[in-house]
Amino acid sequence: MPKITFITSDAKPYKIDVQNGLTVMEGAIQNDVPGIDADCGGGMACATCHVYVNEVWIDKLPAKEDGEEDMLDMAFEPKSNSRLSCQITISDELDGLIVNIPLKQA
Ligand code: FES
């Protein structure tokens, strides 16, 4: 099962196993990772699943859809490596993915 590491804004790592086919957000929710609230349940309508993807991984992810880009524009302090974790589906290729959780979501 792919391992995903979430790093909270206070630098605490949460290394979790996420089943293929689930999203990064779903993995966080199932494992009680703090800072990923996912208020809209993955509907791309809240940005409470916002993460910063480690630079090593950013080009390995599928491109953002327009709706994701629009929602990220409304997120707190979006950066070039911002993604909505509900829009990243886990596969073996993402084994080892590292994402940081924004300070605002602490
Ligand atoms: S869970 Fe709401 S935008 Fe991702």
Side-chain angles (χ1 to χ4, degrees):
M1 226 187 283
K3 282 202 186 309
I4 311 296
T5 301
F6 293 82
I7 301 172
T8 59
S9 56
D10 58 354
K12 205 186 233 180
Y14 286 78
K15 200 171 200 171
I16 62 172
D17 295 321
V18 184
Q19 197 181 319
N20 281 338
L22 293 181
T23 65
V24 172
M25 173 277 276
E26 288 168 329
I29 296 294
Q30 286 183 359
N31 289 277
D32 297 323
V33 175
I36 303 289
D37 291 345
D39 290 340
C40 77
M44 222 162 39
C46 72
T48 60
C49 67
H50 176 204
V51 293
Y52 300 123
V53 175
N54 182 285
E55 298 291 345
V56 171
W57 287 93
I58 197 75
D59 291 335
K60 297 179 180 157
L61 301 181
K64 293 175 214 164
E65 290 178 27
D66 287 350
E68 181 178 357
E69 198 74 70
D70 292 346
M71 190 49 58
L72 283 169
D73 285 343
M74 288 185 263
F76 178 75
E77 292 185 351
K79 300 180 186 173
S80 59
N81 61 339
S82 287
R83 293 296 303 257
L84 295 177
S85 60
C86 68
Q87 300 303 306
I88 305 171
T89 302
I90 294 301
S91 63
D92 287 339
E93 288 72 41
L94 296 185
D95 183 27
L97 177 69
I98 301 168
V99 299
N100 286 72
I101 298 172
L103 178 63
K104 174 79 173 179
Q105 291 163 224

